[in-house]
Amino acid sequence: MEKEKSEERYSRQILFHGIGAEGQERLAAGRVAIVGCGATGSALASLLARTGVGILRIADRDYVETSNLQRQSLFDEKDAAESLPKAIAAARKISAFNSEITVEARVEDVTPSNVNALLEGMDVILDGTDNFETRYLINDYAVKRSVPWIYSAAVGAYGVTMNVLPGETACLGCIFPETPRGMVETCETSGILNTAVNVVASIAATEAVKLLVGGSAAEQLRKTLWSFDVWTNQHAEISAAKPRASCRTCGQRDFVHLAGEGRPHITMCGRNSVQIHERARPIDFAEMQRRLESLGVVRHNEFVLKFWREPYEMTLFPDGRAIIKGTTDTGVARSLYARYVGS
């Protein structure tokens, strides 16, 4: 009976010649990690959950805000009001429309110290991040472990995506040897159209399905960096079919981002915020609320504690990590953290 119900759920997908019954079984056995569950990540998670990918592991460091709701398709006003971590909110929404699959929610920032634990055992890694620092880290891990991953980004009306098949195609370091410099558009400065997000997520999710189904489907994988603008209808493709011999990552196998030396604080995309990294520093939210309630407004649930003291807002996570809103100065953010949480 359960098998019949599953076949009915995916019946229209099974009818598609590129997947079929065998391909659907492979999807059900698939394990996909999605790093970042903002606009692109939440769209990816929804699409792949509905295709029947067996295990989705969603890693995200952030929480839901009202400004997310315009483009982050798995969240609602209640999630924003409760400041739910995005990974938790996504897992809850997915379980409501597909209880057949497993969703592993990880409320963590992907860093050199935890990347192995977060991405271990995955068949495909998908990019839902908002910064090149994390993308280079994913690229290092994927190339070293020979795990395929898909780079995706969207800002304004523009989207871009590329498949990375270690040992076969170019990696991110081949195409971007250095972090893009100069004026770089962000969601905060240029805004973002939810249509651009959904286009890039749809393309990346389809490529992930091809990888998981394998066989003739894998032969259809795109081997270009593909970009497009949904507003002007301009698009371009750059060949990424071959690795670059001089590439520091896949050519020389020098995994500097995986080593994590000198990893800086991160200015968050789309907000006037700085993230403070703290590891192995468990926080007692009840005790922290008692300490802070005479200094400003404070509230917490089991996932986050929020503290407001004008002009700043601090969101504290159970592992000691914090997001300080109201500044882009890492020195100011560190000072505030030391003052209210401890040095």
PDB file of all heavy atoms in Angstrom, residues 136-162:
ATOM      1  N   TYR A 136      33.832  28.914  -1.678  1.00  0.00           N
ATOM      2  CA  TYR A 136      35.188  28.378  -1.847  1.00  0.00           C
ATOM      3  C   TYR A 136      35.438  27.219  -0.889  1.00  0.00           C
ATOM      4  O   TYR A 136      36.139  26.262  -1.224  1.00  0.00           O
ATOM      5  CB  TYR A 136      36.231  29.476  -1.615  1.00  0.00           C
ATOM      6  CG  TYR A 136      36.408  30.417  -2.779  1.00  0.00           C
ATOM      7  CD1 TYR A 136      36.343  31.797  -2.598  1.00  0.00           C
ATOM      8  CD2 TYR A 136      36.680  29.941  -4.063  1.00  0.00           C
ATOM      9  CE1 TYR A 136      36.517  32.671  -3.665  1.00  0.00           C
ATOM     10  CE2 TYR A 136      36.860  30.804  -5.128  1.00  0.00           C
ATOM     11  CZ  TYR A 136      36.776  32.172  -4.921  1.00  0.00           C
ATOM     12  OH  TYR A 136      36.948  33.031  -5.980  1.00  0.00           O
ATOM     13  N   LEU A 137      34.867  27.296   0.307  1.00  0.00           N
ATOM     14  CA  LEU A 137      35.003  26.199   1.271  1.00  0.00           C
ATOM     15  C   LEU A 137      34.302  24.942   0.749  1.00  0.00           C
ATOM     16  O   LEU A 137      34.868  23.841   0.796  1.00  0.00           O
ATOM     17  CB  LEU A 137      34.409  26.620   2.620  1.00  0.00           C
ATOM     18  CG  LEU A 137      34.389  25.558   3.716  1.00  0.00           C
ATOM     19  CD1 LEU A 137      35.788  25.080   4.050  1.00  0.00           C
ATOM     20  CD2 LEU A 137      33.683  26.111   4.966  1.00  0.00           C
ATOM     21  N   ILE A 138      33.081  25.101   0.231  1.00  0.00           N
ATOM     22  CA  ILE A 138      32.367  23.970  -0.371  1.00  0.00           C
ATOM     23  C   ILE A 138      33.177  23.394  -1.527  1.00  0.00           C
ATOM     24  O   ILE A 138      33.310  22.173  -1.673  1.00  0.00           O
ATOM     25  CB  ILE A 138      30.975  24.408  -0.871  1.00  0.00           C
ATOM     26  CG1 ILE A 138      30.096  24.837   0.286  1.00  0.00           C
ATOM     27  CG2 ILE A 138      30.313  23.267  -1.657  1.00  0.00           C
ATOM     28  CD1 ILE A 138      28.803  25.517  -0.151  1.00  0.00           C
ATOM     29  N   ASN A 139      33.727  24.278  -2.350  1.00  0.00           N
ATOM     30  CA  ASN A 139      34.508  23.843  -3.511  1.00  0.00           C
ATOM     31  C   ASN A 139      35.718  23.025  -3.075  1.00  0.00           C
ATOM     32  O   ASN A 139      36.009  21.966  -3.650  1.00  0.00           O
ATOM     33  CB  ASN A 139      34.954  25.070  -4.309  1.00  0.00           C
ATOM     34  CG  ASN A 139      35.561  24.702  -5.649  1.00  0.00           C
ATOM     35  OD1 ASN A 139      34.906  24.157  -6.523  1.00  0.00           O
ATOM     36  ND2 ASN A 139      36.850  25.001  -5.806  1.00  0.00           N
ATOM     37  N   ASP A 140      36.431  23.488  -2.047  1.00  0.00           N
ATOM     38  CA  ASP A 140      37.580  22.739  -1.520  1.00  0.00           C
ATOM     39  C   ASP A 140      37.147  21.346  -1.069  1.00  0.00           C
ATOM     40  O   ASP A 140      37.775  20.332  -1.404  1.00  0.00           O
ATOM     41  CB  ASP A 140      38.191  23.484  -0.328  1.00  0.00           C
ATOM     42  CG  ASP A 140      39.267  24.468  -0.741  1.00  0.00           C
ATOM     43  OD1 ASP A 140      39.377  24.794  -1.939  1.00  0.00           O
ATOM     44  OD2 ASP A 140      40.019  24.935   0.150  1.00  0.00           O
ATOM     45  N   TYR A 141      36.071  21.299  -0.267  1.00  0.00           N
ATOM     46  CA  TYR A 141      35.594  20.012   0.252  1.00  0.00           C
ATOM     47  C   TYR A 141      35.199  19.092  -0.888  1.00  0.00           C
ATOM     48  O   TYR A 141      35.577  17.910  -0.916  1.00  0.00           O
ATOM     49  CB  TYR A 141      34.409  20.241   1.190  1.00  0.00           C
ATOM     50  CG  TYR A 141      33.778  18.945   1.670  1.00  0.00           C
ATOM     51  CD1 TYR A 141      34.221  18.330   2.827  1.00  0.00           C
ATOM     52  CD2 TYR A 141      32.767  18.326   0.931  1.00  0.00           C
ATOM     53  CE1 TYR A 141      33.668  17.128   3.257  1.00  0.00           C
ATOM     54  CE2 TYR A 141      32.215  17.127   1.344  1.00  0.00           C
ATOM     55  CZ  TYR A 141      32.665  16.532   2.507  1.00  0.00           C
ATOM     56  OH  TYR A 141      32.130  15.340   2.911  1.00  0.00           O
ATOM     57  N   ALA A 142      34.428  19.619  -1.828  1.00  0.00           N
ATOM     58  CA  ALA A 142      33.903  18.788  -2.913  1.00  0.00           C
ATOM     59  C   ALA A 142      35.010  18.250  -3.807  1.00  0.00           C
ATOM     60  O   ALA A 142      34.999  17.076  -4.193  1.00  0.00           O
ATOM     61  CB  ALA A 142      32.903  19.596  -3.739  1.00  0.00           C
ATOM     62  N   VAL A 143      35.974  19.083  -4.136  1.00  0.00           N
ATOM     63  CA  VAL A 143      37.083  18.651  -4.993  1.00  0.00           C
ATOM     64  C   VAL A 143      37.922  17.607  -4.267  1.00  0.00           C
ATOM     65  O   VAL A 143      38.289  16.572  -4.836  1.00  0.00           O
ATOM     66  CB  VAL A 143      37.942  19.850  -5.432  1.00  0.00           C
ATOM     67  CG1 VAL A 143      39.221  19.372  -6.127  1.00  0.00           C
ATOM     68  CG2 VAL A 143      37.147  20.760  -6.369  1.00  0.00           C
ATOM     69  N   LYS A 144      38.217  17.853  -2.999  1.00  0.00           N
ATOM     70  CA  LYS A 144      39.039  16.911  -2.226  1.00  0.00           C
ATOM     71  C   LYS A 144      38.349  15.563  -2.094  1.00  0.00           C
ATOM     72  O   LYS A 144      38.989  14.503  -2.202  1.00  0.00           O
ATOM     73  CB  LYS A 144      39.331  17.479  -0.842  1.00  0.00           C
ATOM     74  CG  LYS A 144      40.279  16.609  -0.022  1.00  0.00           C
ATOM     75  CD  LYS A 144      40.640  17.271   1.306  1.00  0.00           C
ATOM     76  CE  LYS A 144      41.609  16.405   2.086  1.00  0.00           C
ATOM     77  NZ  LYS A 144      42.001  17.034   3.384  1.00  0.00           N
ATOM     78  N   ARG A 145      37.027  15.576  -1.887  1.00  0.00           N
ATOM     79  CA  ARG A 145      36.273  14.337  -1.668  1.00  0.00           C
ATOM     80  C   ARG A 145      35.648  13.782  -2.949  1.00  0.00           C
ATOM     81  O   ARG A 145      34.976  12.755  -2.907  1.00  0.00           O
ATOM     82  CB  ARG A 145      35.167  14.586  -0.644  1.00  0.00           C
ATOM     83  CG  ARG A 145      35.653  14.987   0.746  1.00  0.00           C
ATOM     84  CD  ARG A 145      36.405  13.851   1.424  1.00  0.00           C
ATOM     85  NE  ARG A 145      36.660  14.111   2.815  1.00  0.00           N
ATOM     86  CZ  ARG A 145      35.853  13.733   3.817  1.00  0.00           C
ATOM     87  NH1 ARG A 145      34.737  13.080   3.551  1.00  0.00           N
ATOM     88  NH2 ARG A 145      36.150  14.007   5.069  1.00  0.00           N
ATOM     89  N   SER A 146      35.826  14.478  -4.075  1.00  0.00           N
ATOM     90  CA  SER A 146      35.236  14.063  -5.368  1.00  0.00           C
ATOM     91  C   SER A 146      33.713  13.937  -5.285  1.00  0.00           C
ATOM     92  O   SER A 146      33.124  12.950  -5.725  1.00  0.00           O
ATOM     93  CB  SER A 146      35.848  12.735  -5.849  1.00  0.00           C
ATOM     94  OG  SER A 146      37.219  12.893  -6.128  1.00  0.00           O
ATOM     95  N   VAL A 147      33.101  14.949  -4.704  1.00  0.00           N
ATOM     96  CA  VAL A 147      31.642  15.022  -4.599  1.00  0.00           C
ATOM     97  C   VAL A 147      31.141  16.120  -5.538  1.00  0.00           C
ATOM     98  O   VAL A 147      31.611  17.262  -5.454  1.00  0.00           O
ATOM     99  CB  VAL A 147      31.191  15.341  -3.159  1.00  0.00           C
ATOM    100  CG1 VAL A 147      29.669  15.419  -3.077  1.00  0.00           C
ATOM    101  CG2 VAL A 147      31.742  14.321  -2.188  1.00  0.00           C
ATOM    102  N   PRO A 148      30.193  15.859  -6.429  1.00  0.00           N
ATOM    103  CA  PRO A 148      29.681  16.912  -7.297  1.00  0.00           C
ATOM    104  C   PRO A 148      28.926  17.975  -6.504  1.00  0.00           C
ATOM    105  O   PRO A 148      28.248  17.656  -5.514  1.00  0.00           O
ATOM    106  CB  PRO A 148      28.752  16.169  -8.256  1.00  0.00           C
ATOM    107  CG  PRO A 148      28.389  14.916  -7.563  1.00  0.00           C
ATOM    108  CD  PRO A 148      29.558  14.552  -6.701  1.00  0.00           C
ATOM    109  N   TRP A 149      29.067  19.222  -6.933  1.00  0.00           N
ATOM    110  CA  TRP A 149      28.291  20.290  -6.308  1.00  0.00           C
ATOM    111  C   TRP A 149      27.868  21.293  -7.366  1.00  0.00           C
ATOM    112  O   TRP A 149      28.427  21.330  -8.462  1.00  0.00           O
ATOM    113  CB  TRP A 149      29.058  20.946  -5.165  1.00  0.00           C
ATOM    114  CG  TRP A 149      30.131  21.946  -5.513  1.00  0.00           C
ATOM    115  CD1 TRP A 149      31.395  21.687  -5.952  1.00  0.00           C
ATOM    116  CD2 TRP A 149      30.028  23.374  -5.403  1.00  0.00           C
ATOM    117  NE1 TRP A 149      32.094  22.862  -6.126  1.00  0.00           N
ATOM    118  CE2 TRP A 149      31.280  23.914  -5.798  1.00  0.00           C
ATOM    119  CE3 TRP A 149      29.015  24.254  -5.012  1.00  0.00           C
ATOM    120  CZ2 TRP A 149      31.540  25.283  -5.807  1.00  0.00           C
ATOM    121  CZ3 TRP A 149      29.267  25.610  -5.020  1.00  0.00           C
ATOM    122  CH2 TRP A 149      30.513  26.115  -5.412  1.00  0.00           C
ATOM    123  N   ILE A 150      26.864  22.103  -7.036  1.00  0.00           N
ATOM    124  CA  ILE A 150      26.298  23.037  -8.003  1.00  0.00           C
ATOM    125  C   ILE A 150      26.316  24.440  -7.407  1.00  0.00           C
ATOM    126  O   ILE A 150      25.666  24.704  -6.383  1.00  0.00           O
ATOM    127  CB  ILE A 150      24.867  22.636  -8.402  1.00  0.00           C
ATOM    128  CG1 ILE A 150      24.872  21.223  -9.002  1.00  0.00           C
ATOM    129  CG2 ILE A 150      24.289  23.645  -9.402  1.00  0.00           C
ATOM    130  CD1 ILE A 150      23.485  20.685  -9.329  1.00  0.00           C
ATOM    131  N   TYR A 151      27.074  25.324  -8.055  1.00  0.00           N
ATOM    132  CA  TYR A 151      27.166  26.726  -7.666  1.00  0.00           C
ATOM    133  C   TYR A 151      25.945  27.472  -8.197  1.00  0.00           C
ATOM    134  O   TYR A 151      25.570  27.313  -9.359  1.00  0.00           O
ATOM    135  CB  TYR A 151      28.456  27.319  -8.240  1.00  0.00           C
ATOM    136  CG  TYR A 151      28.488  28.825  -8.382  1.00  0.00           C
ATOM    137  CD1 TYR A 151      28.345  29.660  -7.283  1.00  0.00           C
ATOM    138  CD2 TYR A 151      28.688  29.419  -9.639  1.00  0.00           C
ATOM    139  CE1 TYR A 151      28.397  31.042  -7.424  1.00  0.00           C
ATOM    140  CE2 TYR A 151      28.741  30.794  -9.786  1.00  0.00           C
ATOM    141  CZ  TYR A 151      28.585  31.596  -8.678  1.00  0.00           C
ATOM    142  OH  TYR A 151      28.626  32.964  -8.828  1.00  0.00           O
ATOM    143  N   SER A 152      25.306  28.288  -7.357  1.00  0.00           N
ATOM    144  CA  SER A 152      24.148  29.068  -7.768  1.00  0.00           C
ATOM    145  C   SER A 152      24.149  30.401  -7.027  1.00  0.00           C
ATOM    146  O   SER A 152      24.529  30.467  -5.849  1.00  0.00           O
ATOM    147  CB  SER A 152      22.838  28.345  -7.440  1.00  0.00           C
ATOM    148  OG  SER A 152      22.786  27.066  -8.021  1.00  0.00           O
ATOM    149  N   ALA A 153      23.700  31.447  -7.706  1.00  0.00           N
ATOM    150  CA  ALA A 153      23.600  32.757  -7.070  1.00  0.00           C
ATOM    151  C   ALA A 153      22.545  33.581  -7.792  1.00  0.00           C
ATOM    152  O   ALA A 153      22.305  33.389  -8.984  1.00  0.00           O
ATOM    153  CB  ALA A 153      24.945  33.475  -7.101  1.00  0.00           C
ATOM    154  N   ALA A 154      21.930  34.499  -7.057  1.00  0.00           N
ATOM    155  CA  ALA A 154      20.951  35.405  -7.655  1.00  0.00           C
ATOM    156  C   ALA A 154      20.975  36.728  -6.904  1.00  0.00           C
ATOM    157  O   ALA A 154      21.044  36.756  -5.675  1.00  0.00           O
ATOM    158  CB  ALA A 154      19.546  34.801  -7.607  1.00  0.00           C
ATOM    159  N   VAL A 155      20.925  37.830  -7.661  1.00  0.00           N
ATOM    160  CA  VAL A 155      20.816  39.169  -7.086  1.00  0.00           C
ATOM    161  C   VAL A 155      20.179  40.061  -8.131  1.00  0.00           C
ATOM    162  O   VAL A 155      20.418  39.898  -9.330  1.00  0.00           O
ATOM    163  CB  VAL A 155      22.192  39.709  -6.641  1.00  0.00           C
ATOM    164  CG1 VAL A 155      23.112  39.925  -7.839  1.00  0.00           C
ATOM    165  CG2 VAL A 155      22.045  41.002  -5.839  1.00  0.00           C
ATOM    166  N   GLY A 156      19.347  40.996  -7.701  1.00  0.00           N
ATOM    167  CA  GLY A 156      18.633  41.830  -8.659  1.00  0.00           C
ATOM    168  C   GLY A 156      17.744  40.958  -9.534  1.00  0.00           C
ATOM    169  O   GLY A 156      16.932  40.177  -9.056  1.00  0.00           O
ATOM    170  N   ALA A 157      17.945  41.070 -10.842  1.00  0.00           N
ATOM    171  CA  ALA A 157      17.219  40.224 -11.799  1.00  0.00           C
ATOM    172  C   ALA A 157      18.135  39.171 -12.401  1.00  0.00           C
ATOM    173  O   ALA A 157      17.746  38.469 -13.331  1.00  0.00           O
ATOM    174  CB  ALA A 157      16.629  41.096 -12.916  1.00  0.00           C
ATOM    175  N   TYR A 158      19.334  39.049 -11.833  1.00  0.00           N
ATOM    176  CA  TYR A 158      20.402  38.234 -12.425  1.00  0.00           C
ATOM    177  C   TYR A 158      20.569  36.923 -11.670  1.00  0.00           C
ATOM    178  O   TYR A 158      20.496  36.884 -10.436  1.00  0.00           O
ATOM    179  CB  TYR A 158      21.696  39.042 -12.381  1.00  0.00           C
ATOM    180  CG  TYR A 158      22.947  38.326 -12.798  1.00  0.00           C
ATOM    181  CD1 TYR A 158      23.292  38.226 -14.147  1.00  0.00           C
ATOM    182  CD2 TYR A 158      23.809  37.769 -11.857  1.00  0.00           C
ATOM    183  CE1 TYR A 158      24.461  37.596 -14.543  1.00  0.00           C
ATOM    184  CE2 TYR A 158      24.975  37.133 -12.246  1.00  0.00           C
ATOM    185  CZ  TYR A 158      25.299  37.043 -13.584  1.00  0.00           C
ATOM    186  OH  TYR A 158      26.457  36.412 -13.971  1.00  0.00           O
ATOM    187  N   GLY A 159      20.786  35.857 -12.403  1.00  0.00           N
ATOM    188  CA  GLY A 159      21.073  34.565 -11.797  1.00  0.00           C
ATOM    189  C   GLY A 159      22.206  33.876 -12.528  1.00  0.00           C
ATOM    190  O   GLY A 159      22.438  34.122 -13.719  1.00  0.00           O
ATOM    191  N   VAL A 160      22.930  33.014 -11.826  1.00  0.00           N
ATOM    192  CA  VAL A 160      24.054  32.291 -12.427  1.00  0.00           C
ATOM    193  C   VAL A 160      24.174  30.929 -11.748  1.00  0.00           C
ATOM    194  O   VAL A 160      23.885  30.786 -10.555  1.00  0.00           O
ATOM    195  CB  VAL A 160      25.367  33.096 -12.287  1.00  0.00           C
ATOM    196  CG1 VAL A 160      25.706  33.345 -10.815  1.00  0.00           C
ATOM    197  CG2 VAL A 160      26.525  32.407 -12.990  1.00  0.00           C
ATOM    198  N   THR A 161      24.561  29.925 -12.521  1.00  0.00           N
ATOM    199  CA  THR A 161      24.740  28.597 -11.947  1.00  0.00           C
ATOM    200  C   THR A 161      25.755  27.805 -12.761  1.00  0.00           C
ATOM    201  O   THR A 161      25.942  28.051 -13.958  1.00  0.00           O
ATOM    202  CB  THR A 161      23.395  27.835 -11.865  1.00  0.00           C
ATOM    203  OG1 THR A 161      23.600  26.573 -11.243  1.00  0.00           O
ATOM    204  CG2 THR A 161      22.769  27.643 -13.229  1.00  0.00           C
ATOM    205  N   MET A 162      26.431  26.862 -12.092  1.00  0.00           N
ATOM    206  CA  MET A 162      27.442  26.033 -12.745  1.00  0.00           C
ATOM    207  C   MET A 162      27.560  24.711 -12.012  1.00  0.00           C
ATOM    208  O   MET A 162      27.595  24.671 -10.778  1.00  0.00           O
ATOM    209  CB  MET A 162      28.804  26.744 -12.751  1.00  0.00           C
ATOM    210  CG  MET A 162      29.918  25.950 -13.436  1.00  0.00           C
ATOM    211  SD  MET A 162      31.523  26.812 -13.424  1.00  0.00           S
ATOM    212  CE  MET A 162      32.057  26.544 -11.732  1.00  0.00           C
TER     213      MET A 162
END
